[in-house]
Structure formats: C-alpha cells, structure tokens
Amino acid sequence: MSTNTQSRMAPGSATVRERRRVIFSSYLGTTIEFYDFLLYATASAVVFGPVFFANLDPWAGVVASYGTFAAGYVARPLGGIIFGHFGDRLGRKKLLVISMMLMGLASTAIGLVPTPELIGPWAAVMLVFLRVLQGIAVGGEWGGAALMALEHADPKARGFAASFTNAGAPTGSVLGLLMMSMFSALPQDQFLSWGWRVPFLLSFVLLLLGLYVRTRVSESPVFQQALEREAAERAAAPTARRPIPLLQVLRRPGLLVTVILAATSAFALQTLLSTFSITYTVSLGVPRSDVMLAFAGAGVISIGTTLLMGRISDRVGRKPLMIAGNILFIAVTPAVFALLSTGNMASIFLAFTLGIVTQTVLYGPMAAFIAERFGTSSRYTGASVGYQIATLLGAGFTPLVLANLYGGSGASLTPVIVYLSIIAAVSLVTVIFMPESKDRSLGDEPGQESGLGTVPATATQPAQ
C-alpha cells in the first residue's frame, strides 16, 4: 500500500491484512518492551537486594532495590513527553522503532552491570541510569503502539484492537517470569552470580525480532490525514505557527488530570502483584521459583481476559468496565492476601489469578479509554503523558510505600490493604464523572482541532 493511498484513507479504513499486521506489531513490540521493563520488577524483588545491596538489612535491601525500580517509573513521563512530541510531529512508526532500540540496548546492558565487589557504589549508579533509560523507552512505546492499533482499527472494534497493546504487558511479564524462574532454579550462588543476567542478555535477540516486524508496518492513516490537512492550512496561512503538542494538552489540564487519576488504580494493582506480593509470599518460606511460576500461570490467563475486556468495551463502553474493575479491586484485595498467607501453592495461584483478572477489567479497555480523549495532533503526547504519570503514581512508588507500610506496622497487612483501597476509590470516583468515549471520532474534523490550533467546535471536541 502506497503512502499516498494511505493518506487518503478515512480513519479505520485500513485493509484487514494491514490492520492485523499493525495489531500484531503493536502486540509484539509491547510484549518485548514489557518483557524488559517488568523483568526488572521481578529482579528487584528477588535479585537486586542480595546482589547490589547485600550490606543492608534484608528488608532494607528490598526497599533500596525497589528504589531503583521506581526510577524507571519516574522517567516514564519524560519518555512520554519526548516521544509524544516527535510522534505527533513526525509520525508514530519512526518513534516506535527508536523506543524499541533504546529499551533493548538498555536491558541488555543491565545484564552486564558489574557487581559492587568490582566497582563499588558505581554498580548501583549504573543500574539506576539504565533503569531510567528503560523508563524513557517504555514511556514512548505504549502511546505509539496503542495509537497505531487504534488509528488503523475499524471504528467499531477500537477497544479490541487497542487491547492487544495492553495484552503485550502480561505477555512480556510472563516471558520474563518464566525466564527468571528457570534460572532461579539454579543453586543460589550461581543464580546470584550469573544466572539472573541471562534473561536480560536475551533482550538483544528479542530486539532484533521486534525491529524486523515493526519496520514492516505502515504509518497511521489518521496521522497521514492530519498531515495533509495541516499542509493545506499552512498553505492558506503560511505565517501561522504550529503549536507544541504538550502545550495543546496542558491547555486542558482537567482532561489530563482525570485521565491520570482514572488509570492510577490499574497500575497499583499490577505492581502489587508483580513485586510486593512476590516478595511477601517468598518471605513466608515459599520457594521463589514456585511463586514466580504461579504468577506466570495467572499472567497467561490475563492475556486472554485483557483482550476479552477490550472486546466487551466495544459493546458496553469503556466506562462501565472501569467502574466495575475498581469496585472489584477494593473487594478482592483482602482475599488475595488471605490466600497468599496460606503458603499453599493452589491458594497462591488462585490469589494471583483473582488479582490479575481483576486488573484486566481495568486494563483491557484502558488503551482506548485514554487515547480516544485526545485529538490527532496531540494524541501521542496526551495519551503517553496521561498513561505514564498514572503509572508513576500507581506503580512507581507503590512497592516502596507498601514495603514501608508493612515493615513499619509490625508485619501487619491492614495498612497495605487500606492504602490500596484508597487508590481504587479515587480512581472509581474519577471514572464515574467522566463521559463515555467509545463513539467519538478519531479524525480531526474541520474546526475541531488541527495542527495549527484552530478553535475546537463544541459539537465534536473531545471530553474535558
């Protein structure tokens, strides 16, 4: 399909073959990126404490390890701003290729970081620096991948198409957990000396595969149309200045804040399961490899339920699922911890499954729920910044907060449960007051929003 043909296509009018190729590319790319990013989460729970912070008390080492983990989340909004700006100016595809290269190289380098015995505190410094690069990369990945799937999709199936992007996160998490679990079965000294490094080094192989697939897809037809319209406007008004995408987003701060608060709880639950819950269960004496396999098994189930929730959202709307997911979050959290506390593997698997399936009720429709609220010329920036700040608030500091609440309360889970319930309640109230988005047009209609910043028409402008 030629670029000229693409640029004349209406939103959602891509061929079935091209849609499938783009959706697969988004799914595979996100899988690889989150394999790398969430592999670090697993390593921070079971490896980095004894390897890089062995001179600290065990739980203090866990807290320090989670601190390096949080650095990636702090960097994600920055990645969203950088990649969003150029993705809204130059196109989605180019920036996705760059984000994948940055993530793959940073993750491979993590597997090569020397131990503190060799370079002292510089080991931790290198770890944090590479984690920041990971955060910048994944900050740019999600928005571009979600938009590519969304903007190529049939208008009646946007939630399902975009959910493949989010399904890549549990897929990558499962792959990372399986790899780390396999090597954690080694004798403890071998695992801590070299075994944990192999899953990171394999990132380079995944990088090559991802680049091959990603370079073969076409640019978003919605973005191509926006470029044509902007070119016509610039011809008519050559002195008009092109607005900065981030400033376009910040002109409507209410929209950005509500998107962030609505999405925060999904990431708090995701990170609770992938970090604190694993550390907590292992601390009860359950073998580390068994816990990770139980979580990986639950993760496999969540891939299908994420896609199912995306499909359901195309019928009932994004908002009803987001409301239901937050109510379930509050209801199931005590049950998840009760099951984990038994030390029984069947109960542990059930706990992870209950928690992660609940999370997919929120996560399945989320890509469409966020991206549909921004116009084309600032959609990459708006969706990326909103999503990534939500991950920072909901996930970046959650392991640190939970570890301190648990350790500082005499090993009581009550403060942990209360804290998580408050996060879910805030997201619930926010979603209740947000309008539905599934029937909104993705194309920038004349007078709605343009690259030159025309005044939006009230009949079609995105929700505030």
Side-chain angles (χ1 to χ4, degrees), residues 271-356:
T271 308
L272 161 70
L273 297 168
S274 64
T275 57
F276 181 81
S277 294
I278 292 177
T279 304
Y280 169 73
T281 309
V282 170
S283 73
L284 298 177
V286 183
R288 177 179 55 238
S289 59
D290 290 350
V291 175
M292 288 193 292
L293 284 174
F295 183 64
V300 171
I301 297 173
S302 76
I303 297 169
T305 56
T306 297
L307 298 176
L308 176 62
M309 296 305 161
R311 172 69 80 183
I312 292 174
S313 78
D314 285 323
R315 298 186 177 184
V316 305
R318 326 300 184 208
K319 183 175 175 177
L321 288 180
M322 299 288 287
I323 291 173
N326 281 299
I327 294 172
L328 286 172
F329 183 179
I330 296 171
V332 306
T333 301
V336 167
F337 280 116
L339 290 167
L340 291 176
S341 299
T342 65
N344 176 271
M345 285 310 303
S347 297
I348 291 170
F349 173 72
L350 179 59
F352 282 133
T353 301
L354 183 62
I356 207 166

Side-chain angles (χ1 to χ4, degrees), residues 136-161:
I136 292 173
V138 82
E141 166 67 26
W142 180 88
L147 265 56
M148 284 287 282
L150 192 82
E151 293 177 346
H152 277 85
D154 184 297
K156 295 181 180 180
R158 294 194 312 229
F160 182 57

Side-chain angles (χ1 to χ4, degrees), residues 208-460:
L208 297 178
L209 172 63
L211 288 176
Y212 173 78
V213 173
R214 182 152 280 176
T215 54
R216 295 169 63 86
V217 300
S218 60
E219 182 57 86
S220 158
V222 175
F223 179 77
Q224 294 280 14
Q225 280 196 324
L227 284 183
E228 285 191 345
R229 187 160 55 252
E230 181 184 310
E233 290 178 355
R234 292 184 71 85
T239 60
R241 299 183 63 181
R242 189 178 189 183
I244 298 172
L246 179 61
L247 295 182
Q248 288 181 272
V249 172
L250 294 180
R251 288 193 188 110
R252 296 155 61 200
L255 171 60
L256 184 61
V257 170
T258 53
V259 164
I260 292 167
L261 294 179
T264 295
S265 61
F267 301 112
L269 180 53
Q270 179 188 66
T271 308
L272 161 70
L273 297 168
S274 64
T275 57
F276 181 81
S277 294
I278 292 177
T279 304
Y280 169 73
T281 309
V282 170
S283 73
L284 298 177
V286 183
R288 177 179 55 238
S289 59
D290 290 350
V291 175
M292 288 193 292
L293 284 174
F295 183 64
V300 171
I301 297 173
S302 76
I303 297 169
T305 56
T306 297
L307 298 176
L308 176 62
M309 296 305 161
R311 172 69 80 183
I312 292 174
S313 78
D314 285 323
R315 298 186 177 184
V316 305
R318 326 300 184 208
K319 183 175 175 177
L321 288 180
M322 299 288 287
I323 291 173
N326 281 299
I327 294 172
L328 286 172
F329 183 179
I330 296 171
V332 306
T333 301
V336 167
F337 280 116
L339 290 167
L340 291 176
S341 299
T342 65
N344 176 271
M345 285 310 303
S347 297
I348 291 170
F349 173 72
L350 179 59
F352 282 133
T353 301
L354 183 62
I356 207 166
V357 169
T358 296
Q359 195 262 349
T360 64
V361 179
L362 295 163
Y363 205 51
M366 184 177 292
F369 177 83
I370 292 176
E372 287 169 341
R373 298 176 187 275
F374 298 94
T376 304
S377 64
S378 62
R379 185 173 292 132
Y380 200 145
T381 300
S384 295
V385 172
Y387 181 95
Q388 300 308 338
I389 293 179
T391 67
L392 173 60
L393 297 179
F397 298 110
T398 294
L400 276 169
V401 173
L402 298 185
N404 280 288
L405 287 174
Y406 179 68
S409 61
S412 170
L413 289 171
T414 300
V416 171
I417 294 171
V418 170
Y419 175 78
L420 293 168
S421 298
I422 291 172
I423 292 177
V426 171
S427 291
L428 172 62
V429 172
T430 303
V431 173
I432 288 173
F433 288 98
M434 295 179 74
E436 181 56 67
S437 65
K438 80 178 182 71
D439 295 322
R440 295 185 181 280
S441 172
L442 290 184
D444 289 333
E445 303 299 332
Q448 175 192 356
E449 179 188 51
S450 73
L452 299 179
T454 4
V455 178
T458 55
T460 56

